[in-house]
Amino acid sequence: ELQQKNLQYLDENLDSWRMCQRAELMERMGASKVEVIAWWEQHRNDDGAYHPLLRLYEEENLLKAIELVREKREWEKNTIWQITDYTKTLLRLLEKSEDWAEYEKELRYLVVKLKCQETEFVSQLKRITPVEQWPAVFEILLADAKRPVDRMQLYHLEEKYNELSVELSRYPYIGTFQSYEQTLHHWNSERTLKLYTEILKIEMDRACDRKQYRYIVSHLCRLKVYPNGQEGAKALAAYWYVNHKNRPAMKDELKKAGYPQI
């Protein structure tokens, strides 16, 4: 009797948060999954029903799950970010259902039309694209890549390491460089050492406190794994001493790292 009263209260004061409470109470009272699904379907157009209904459909009926996601994606008020998210979910469901024709169609839509250039999806698109067609597709993706980080990912995927190193030199940030350092090291250790050194110079120009000095100086140890890297590290330390004479904290960090002023 108390549970029935609680159900009545929830129905009279239903909102997105109470909808989940209502469904959980139904299950505790012995409702079958079919009954719970039927109840959620009554509120299909409510935003709060989407994820619970999607989960239940995915367990019981993949075709209905796919239909639900497509329905939500076509809603006229969706933003580009929501459409992208729905399409990623759709890809996961299509892969699970092994509907490869629709999967390929949605994958092309995600990468080419929605311009989602995450490496995972671009790699999948490359695998399903005929070899002779891929160069043209790649050029389209590259033209759509407005952010430097997106172009870098594409160059890395295509093993265009010369173009990747040029892009890194145009946008010299140590955090970005580290994502590709090992690959570039194997490709051309001499060029990579030079690029690494130039980026560290620029990063030191930007630095403004001891913590940043310490972080940049710590990279000198990494230079030692390169041929002639030890000499390069010493030369870089000497360069910093000359060009940043008024940074006692930087000089202190260099000395602690084993690079005293000569």
Side-chain angles (χ1 to χ4, degrees), residues 32-230:
S32 66
K33 188 168 289 187
V34 172
E35 291 173 320
V36 175
I37 290 175
W39 181 83
W40 276 115
E41 286 177 334
Q42 296 175 39
H43 307 279
R44 187 184 181 100
N45 294 328
D46 192 295
D47 287 340
Y50 171 66
H51 289 289
L53 195 52
L54 176 61
R55 175 180 56 81
L56 290 165
Y57 276 159
E58 191 169 351
E59 294 172 358
E60 299 294 317
N61 191 323
L62 275 175
L63 291 180
K64 281 193 172 184
I66 291 169
E67 179 187 346
L68 175 65
V69 177
R70 283 194 165 127
E71 178 184 299
K72 291 293 288 185
R73 187 177 65 175
E74 291 168 7
W75 191 43
E76 61 180 14
K77 293 182 180 179
N78 282 329
T79 66
I80 186 66
W81 308 112
Q82 289 172 315
I83 293 172
T84 299
D85 186 57
Y86 289 135
T87 305
K88 289 178 181 179
T89 301
L90 196 53
L91 282 170
R92 178 176 60 78
L93 296 173
L94 289 168
E95 183 177 16
K96 194 172 181 179
S97 68
E98 299 184 351
D99 188 343
W100 301 117
E102 284 298 308
Y103 180 88
E104 180 176 342
K105 177 182 174 182
E106 293 293 344
L107 181 60
R108 292 186 184 280
Y109 175 69
L110 177 69
V111 177
V112 179
K113 296 297 183 182
L114 297 179
K115 306 185 191 309
C116 176
Q117 297 193 350
E118 295 175 22
T119 302
E120 172 191 356
F121 299 112
V122 176
S123 298
Q124 291 174 12
L125 181 60
K126 183 177 181 179
R127 283 198 296 270
I128 66 174
T129 302
V131 176
E132 65 277 8
Q133 295 178 15
W134 178 247
V137 174
F138 178 79
E139 289 304 317
I140 293 173
L141 298 180
L142 192 60
D144 288 337
K146 304 305 180 185
R147 300 186 307 164
V149 65
D150 294 331
R151 293 193 293 273
M152 292 173 193
Q153 289 175 352
L154 288 171
Y155 287 138
H156 185 255
L157 176 67
E158 282 297 279
E159 299 182 1
K160 293 180 177 291
Y161 300 135
N162 181 64
E163 290 84 348
L164 174 59
S165 63
V166 170
E167 197 74 19
L168 285 166
S169 68
R170 293 175 60 198
Y171 301 94
Y173 294 95
I174 193 64
T176 306
F177 171 78
Q178 283 186 294
S179 301
Y180 306 104
E181 189 232 332
Q182 188 172 1
T183 300
L184 292 175
H185 184 183
H186 290 302
W187 165 66
N188 188 318
S189 60
E190 184 178 351
R191 282 190 60 179
T192 304
L193 175 61
K194 182 178 179 181
L195 176 61
Y196 202 166
T197 302
E198 289 304 313
I199 290 175
L200 288 175
K201 285 181 181 179
I202 295 169
E203 288 285 13
M204 187 62 85
D205 290 342
R206 298 187 185 121
C208 59
D209 60 39
R210 181 181 288 272
K211 183 178 179 181
Q212 292 176 329
Y213 299 151
R214 184 183 303 119
Y215 172 69
I216 297 166
V217 169
S218 69
H219 283 272
L220 294 178
C221 294
R222 177 62 187 164
L223 297 182
K224 296 177 184 179
V225 304
Y226 290 83
N228 302 316
Q230 177 65 43

Side-chain angles (χ1 to χ4, degrees), residues 1-7 25:
E1 183 180 353
L2 287 172
Q3 288 176 329
Q4 287 293 349
K5 287 182 178 180
N6 198 6
L7 277 180
L25 182 55

Side-chain angles (χ1 to χ4, degrees), residues 2-19:
L2 287 172
Q3 288 176 329
Q4 287 293 349
K5 287 182 178 180
N6 198 6
L7 277 180
Q8 183 179 350
Y9 169 80
L10 290 170
D11 285 335
E12 292 172 353
N13 300 274
L14 204 58
D15 57 25
S16 295
W17 182 68
R18 290 191 176 95
M19 287 174 75

